[in-house]
Amino acid sequence: MTKHKRYSIILTVTCLVVFIMTGVIMAIGHLRAQQLPTDVMEITVAYGDTLWTIAKDIAPYTDPRKVVWEIQQLNQISSSQIYPGQTLLVPIYEVDI
């Protein structure tokens, strides 16, 4: 094996290891920043509120689709229609670090 080919293989393997380790570190960081529901509270819907905006406000690091689903389940609603003055139970989230 030539010196050039050996260096090429070493460089390729090194790059692959760095790429894999970067992915692992990023995945661990994402998992550590997951927000977990710890309790529920009651809120009153304000004019202009949507389930999506409420979800993003109460859990900015969690997928809003998951939070919207949880709000719908807690309040036994099947649509996304909410109205000003309506009270909703919403999950309380805590960042697990």
Side-chain angles (χ1 to χ4, degrees):
M1 188 181 299
T2 66
K3 200 177 217 182
H4 183 281
K5 190 169 186 171
R6 193 174 325 137
Y7 286 133
S8 294
I9 291 171
I10 290 171
L11 180 62
T12 302
V13 170
T14 302
C15 288
L16 184 60
V17 168
V18 169
F19 179 72
I20 290 170
M21 291 305 295
T22 301
V24 168
I25 291 168
M26 289 176 64
I28 290 171
H30 175 54
L31 290 174
R32 289 183 59 138
Q34 286 281 331
Q35 289 187 310
L36 306 170
T38 57
D39 205 353
V40 295
M41 69 177 184
E42 190 174 273
I43 64 162
T44 302
V45 176
Y47 180 78
D49 279 349
T50 65
L51 289 177
W52 189 266
T53 58
I54 292 169
K56 289 186 71 153
D57 286 344
I58 64 173
Y61 301 109
T62 302
D63 185 344
R65 294 170 294 190
K66 177 181 180 279
V67 181
V68 165
W69 181 84
E70 290 172 349
I71 294 170
Q72 288 175 316
Q73 295 301 304
L74 284 169
N75 294 282
Q76 299 175 352
I77 55 177
S78 58
S79 75
S80 61
Q81 290 289 325
I82 57 174
Y83 305 97
Q86 181 179 0
T87 56
L88 295 174
L89 292 175
V90 297
I92 298 173
Y93 284 83
E94 177 180 296
V95 176
D96 182 27
I97 296 179

